[in-house]
Amino acid sequence: MAQHGFDFKFSQCFGDKADIVVTEADIITASEFDHTGDYLATGDRGGRVVLFERNNTKHCEYKFLTEFQSHDAEFDYLKSLEIEEKINQIKWCRPTNQSHFLLSTNDKTIKLWKIYEKNIKLVSENNLSEGTKSYNRRSTGNGSARAVISLQTLKLPKLSLHDRIIAAAPKKIYSNAHTYHINSISLNSDQETFISSDDLRINLWNLDIPDESFNIVDIKPANMEELTEVITSAEFHPQQCNLFMYSSSKGTIKLCDMRQNALCDYRAKVFEEYLDPISHNFFTEITSSISDVKFSPDGRYIASRDYLTVKIWDVNMDNKPLKTINIHEQLEERLNDTYENDAIFDKFEVAFSGDSSSVMTGSYNNNFMIYPNVVKTGDYQAPAGMDEIVLQADKTAFKTKRLSSLQQQSARNKEWGDDIDFKKSILHFSWHPRENSVAIAATNNLFIFSAL
């Protein structure tokens, strides 16, 4: 795979660049490159999915392809609950016959969408068109004549291409299988099955069978008062179709093998770091909850994100992480503030680079961080002394592209002082599978940064 350096620069931005009041429905809640990197999908709070296609240029630039309404708000009359239309996750499937397929989910329902090119044809010629009027005229008896088409002159209407559009059609709807909110979906490497996870259960689906799923993890206690943890994220192994993992609010990761038991967590491998109880404080239980967990594309490593750290694990070593990266050192003294404004419950994602060597995650003030070569040495080294690249996905990106070096930008973005904007959090992003380009969701804007 072609590797590139880590000199990330702002490439482009989609969305309103002006300082306007952001409509809640426009806030981006999911973003995902497909496996080629030629297509990019985003989902928002309003239930819309927007697709972008790569421009055929040497730079990492995308153009708008299409958008469609994936989910609508619903009302669960049995529970008197409103179900939001907000898109929680999007996953691309492998394309077939020049059509693209993707899974999108809100809190309760998963949909499989087919994206295809549709030719719109209009009738360009028919029997009433000019040039085809070879009618016999007959008298109607009252002096007027009526045109009659003979069989010899009767012609089939002709259709001609009027326009080509990109259309989206729902092919399958997977519903009524989750009591709690779906937090993640993950496609299997066999391209035939996928898992969906809520707070207490993980279900296994076949893409072709929407009305049946198998419950493969169930951590619901007989008495709900004994509940001590919830599932926060789940993902299939990128190569071995029998393996998947899930993370919990207790800070553990379980690696499960579907060949061993019907309920797969029975003999799972548990990745957990021992924390000395002396170091615990009031917030430890909240900050140690894992918000996202990802396999590296080569399947060798696991990255987990909790509120204050990213941990890198070796799949073969479950007693302690290979590396712990402190994300919010500035916030360790200010957890009271983050608790009071609910920021401490923000669910930050984590992502691996396509070559499995580097990771990225998000922070506040529209900052996101890239950690080059955290698990092994890639073909390219980051600039000397730069084990953390801190970039900002906001209007300043337009200026800093020209004015300062990556090192200067990183140093400036790290200097938060007391001025932290908790509303400007970078929670959702995606790393291009084949090159060092990233797509960042910043409230209602989508930023592309690239090292090409």
Side-chain angles (χ1 to χ4, degrees):
M1 184 181 77
Q3 255 287 15
H4 299 278
F6 291 95
D7 190 16
F8 281 88
K9 291 187 174 69
F10 165 73
S11 176
Q12 63 186 138
C13 173
F14 295 96
D16 293 309
K17 298 165 190 71
D19 276 329
I20 58 165
V21 178
V22 178
T23 311
E24 188 83 0
D26 293 337
I27 294 173
I28 299 171
T29 54
S31 88
E32 181 89 353
F33 282 106
D34 78 329
H35 75 285
T36 64
D38 291 338
Y39 295 91
L40 173 61
T42 64
D44 63 24
R45 269 184 195 277
R48 289 183 302 269
V49 170
V50 183
L51 303 183
F52 301 91
E53 183 180 20
R54 177 109 179 216
N55 261 341
N56 290 325
T57 60
K58 66 178 189 287
H59 297 297
C60 191
E61 284 192 2
Y62 287 79
K63 61 186 180 192
F64 172 80
L65 184 66
T66 188
E67 71 171 87
F68 56 93
Q69 189 71 30
S70 176
H71 287 74
D72 293 298
E74 299 169 62
F75 193 78
D76 185 336
Y77 291 97
L78 288 173
K79 295 183 180 165
S80 296
L81 276 179
E82 192 168 342
I83 301 164
E84 286 186 337
E85 61 269 48
K86 173 186 157 226
I87 305 292
N88 291 343
Q89 272 202 332
I90 294 172
K91 296 290 172 192
W92 288 89
C93 309
R94 296 275 168 168
T96 53
N97 299 334
Q98 305 198 318
S99 295
H100 293 271
F101 293 87
L102 56 84
L103 286 169
S104 64
T105 184
N106 68 349
D107 285 342
K108 293 288 181 207
T109 307
I110 305 152
K111 294 184 181 182
L112 176 68
W113 289 90
K114 179 183 179 182
I115 319 297
Y116 61 102
E117 201 172 74
K118 185 178 181 182
N119 293 330
I120 295 179
K121 292 183 175 178
L122 293 179
V123 176
S124 61
E125 199 176 293
N126 60 23
N127 289 289
L128 300 177
S129 304
E130 288 299 323
T132 62
K133 292 179 181 171
S134 49
Y135 308 138
N136 298 322
R137 304 191 85 71
R138 284 189 190 163
S139 173
T140 56
N142 58 1
S144 65
R146 181 164 59 87
V148 178
I149 303 172
S150 70
L151 278 174
Q152 287 75 26
T153 59
L154 199 60
K155 291 193 169 107
L156 284 172
K158 280 190 181 170
L159 294 173
S160 63
L161 183 65
H162 173 68
D163 199 4
R164 272 197 180 92
I165 62 162
I166 306 295
K171 301 304 287 180
K172 299 272 191 301
I173 296 174
Y174 314 86
S175 56
N176 305 322
H178 285 278
T179 310
Y180 306 96
H181 291 175
I182 298 170
N183 54 48
S184 49
I185 50 175
S186 178
L187 260 168
N188 199 341
S189 56
D190 65 10
Q191 296 296 317
E192 292 177 8
T193 55
F194 70 93
I195 51 174
S196 58
S197 159
D198 68 22
D199 289 350
L200 299 180
R201 292 194 176 104
I202 298 174
N203 292 332
L204 175 70
W205 302 82
N206 186 306
L207 279 165
D208 293 329
I209 307 170
D211 52 2
E212 181 178 59
S213 65
F214 295 96
N215 181 220
I216 55 173
V217 170
D218 187 348
I219 65 166
K220 185 180 181 182
N223 179 359
M224 281 296 274
E225 286 178 12
E226 293 167 11
L227 183 69
T228 58
E229 63 179 331
V230 294
I231 299 167
T232 55
S233 180
E235 188 179 61
F236 262 120
H237 191 280
Q239 282 133 20
Q240 297 181 47
C241 60
N242 53 295
L243 295 179
F244 71 94
M245 65 173 170
Y246 69 90
S247 57
S248 86
S249 56
K250 267 191 168 175
T252 62
I253 301 162
K254 288 190 175 178
L255 181 63
C256 308
D257 189 336
M258 292 194 294
R259 296 173 303 188
Q260 290 183 333
N261 281 81
L263 278 174
C264 303
D265 56 342
Y266 177 62
R267 289 166 62 188
K269 187 174 183 179
V270 182
F271 296 80
E272 188 172 16
E273 185 176 28
Y274 173 74
L275 284 176
D276 192 333
I278 296 169
S279 64
H280 282 209
N281 58 35
F282 173 73
F283 302 108
T284 301
E285 204 168 302
I286 305 170
T287 58
S288 62
S289 172
I290 296 173
S291 55
D292 191 27
V293 67
K294 292 275 176 29
F295 280 109
S296 59
D298 63 6
R300 172 80 196 277
Y301 303 100
I302 295 168
S304 64
R305 172 73 207 259
D306 57 40
Y307 191 65
L308 294 171
T309 69
V310 165
K311 292 186 173 79
I312 310 293
W313 302 81
D314 187 314
V315 169
N316 302 312
M317 196 172 83
D318 54 10
N319 60 334
K320 67 175 200 290
L322 283 179
K323 194 165 199 167
T324 300
I325 303 165
N326 292 316
I327 305 295
H328 290 147
E329 286 175 320
Q330 308 94 319
L331 291 184
E332 286 184 32
E333 306 302 316
R334 300 185 54 178
L335 292 176
N336 270 323
D337 297 351
T338 65
Y339 183 72
E340 281 168 19
N341 64 22
D342 280 351
I344 201 167
F345 300 106
D346 283 339
K347 291 178 168 47
F348 291 94
E349 293 176 5
V350 65
F352 268 102
S353 59
D355 68 350
S356 304
S357 72
S358 310
V359 295
M360 72 177 293
T361 193
S363 182
Y364 295 109
N365 289 2
N366 278 344
N367 282 359
F368 65 96
M369 291 80 68
I370 290 166
Y371 300 94
N373 301 327
V374 288
V375 288
K376 62 182 179 185
T377 305
D379 298 340
Y380 282 75
Q381 293 290 334
M386 289 204 69
D387 50 359
E388 180 186 48
I389 297 166
V390 186
L391 292 166
Q392 220 169 8
D394 66 3
K395 291 197 305 298
T396 60
F398 305 111
K399 299 178 210 144
T400 51
K401 184 180 180 183
R402 297 186 297 273
L403 294 179
S404 56
S405 73
L406 189 67
Q407 237 157 337
Q408 290 166 327
Q409 288 178 55
S410 271
R412 187 174 59 250
N413 292 337
K414 281 183 198 177
E415 298 301 320
W416 284 8
D418 292 331
D419 186 24
I420 303 173
D421 191 338
F422 291 108
K423 293 275 184 288
K424 291 183 174 176
S425 54
I426 301 295
L427 305 175
H428 313 287
F429 39 80
S430 184
W431 198 316
H432 192 290
R434 295 182 180 175
E435 62 195 39
N436 281 349
S437 300
V438 294
I440 310 290
T443 52
N444 61 331
N445 290 321
L446 180 71
F447 285 82
I448 311 279
F449 283 77
S450 179
L452 292 188

